[in-house]
Amino acid sequence: MYRLLRLLLLVISGFTTVGLSACQKELPAPELTTASLLEGRWELIQTSGGIAGRTMPADSTQKKEIMFEPNGQVQFLLNGAAATSTTFTLTQALAHNTNRTETFVAYGAPATTLRQYLAEVSTTTLVISDDNPDGFSATYQRVPFDRCGTR
C-alpha cells in the first residue's frame, strides 16, 4: 500500500512538473511590448513640471500630436500637418527620477542628449517624462482610429 501511494505521488508530481513547464511561455522584451502599445497617433492634452511644478492644459490653438509607426518612424504633427519626421528607438535604462529601470525613447540618429522615458503607456494614455528633477512630463491621449479614413 505504501509503495502504491508513493508511486502515485511520484507520477502526479511528474505530470505536474511537465504540465507547468509546458504552460510557461517566453515573455517578449519590454521594448517590443511597449513599441506595439506606442503605435498610433497621440494628441498632447497637458504638460506638467519645471521648477514650479505647474500643470498646464495643451494650447487649443496649436494641436500637437505624435504618430508612432510600426516601422520605427515617428512623426510630429502640428495642427494635423507633419512638422518633423524621424526614427525612434526604445531602450531600457536606469532613470535618475525614479531610480528604476524605465523604457527610454530617443528620436533620430544620433540620439539627442535629452533623456526621456515612458512614464506611462496604455491603450489610451501616453506620458513622456524628462529624466531630470526639474524636467517636464507631456501627457498624450490616443487619437481613435476611424476605419473610414477620418478621425
Side-chain angles (χ1 to χ4, degrees):
M1 176 75 168
Y2 177 73
R3 283 185 177 174
L4 182 60
L5 182 58
R6 191 170 152 194
L7 180 62
L8 182 60
L9 287 174
L10 184 63
V11 170
I12 291 172
S13 173
F15 281 130
T16 303
T17 303
V18 170
L20 289 176
S21 64
C23 291
Q24 292 178 349
K25 296 180 181 171
E26 189 173 316
L27 296 175
E31 298 90 1
L32 297 176
T33 305
T34 303
S36 63
L37 268 176
L38 271 182
E39 289 177 17
R41 194 167 179 163
W42 301 88
E43 181 179 351
L44 180 67
I45 57 171
Q46 76 178 22
T47 57
S48 61
I51 294 173
R54 292 182 16 163
T55 298
M56 299 175 302
D59 183 349
S60 60
T61 63
Q62 292 192 10
K63 182 178 176 183
K64 295 180 180 179
E65 296 174 295
I66 299 179
M67 187 164 53
F68 291 95
E69 299 175 9
N71 63 357
Q73 292 289 114
V74 61
Q75 288 187 39
F76 297 91
L77 300 108
L78 180 60
N79 295 326
T84 308
S85 180
T86 188
T87 59
F88 75 95
T89 54
L90 299 176
T91 55
Q92 295 283 308
L94 183 66
H96 300 297
N97 280 355
T98 64
N99 203 27
R100 294 186 318 217
T101 299
E102 301 286 359
T103 301
F104 282 81
V105 59
Y107 305 105
T112 63
T113 58
L114 176 64
R115 287 176 38 104
Q116 294 183 314
Y117 64 94
L118 305 176
E120 180 182 345
V121 183
S122 72
T123 56
T124 59
T125 305
L126 168 64
V127 180
I128 301 175
S129 294
D130 296 342
D131 190 26
N132 56 57
D134 60 350
F136 282 88
S137 291
T139 303
Y140 296 84
Q141 185 173 35
R142 185 180 296 277
V143 176
F145 178 73
D146 183 354
R147 296 192 184 271
C148 297
T150 61
R151 296 203 185 275

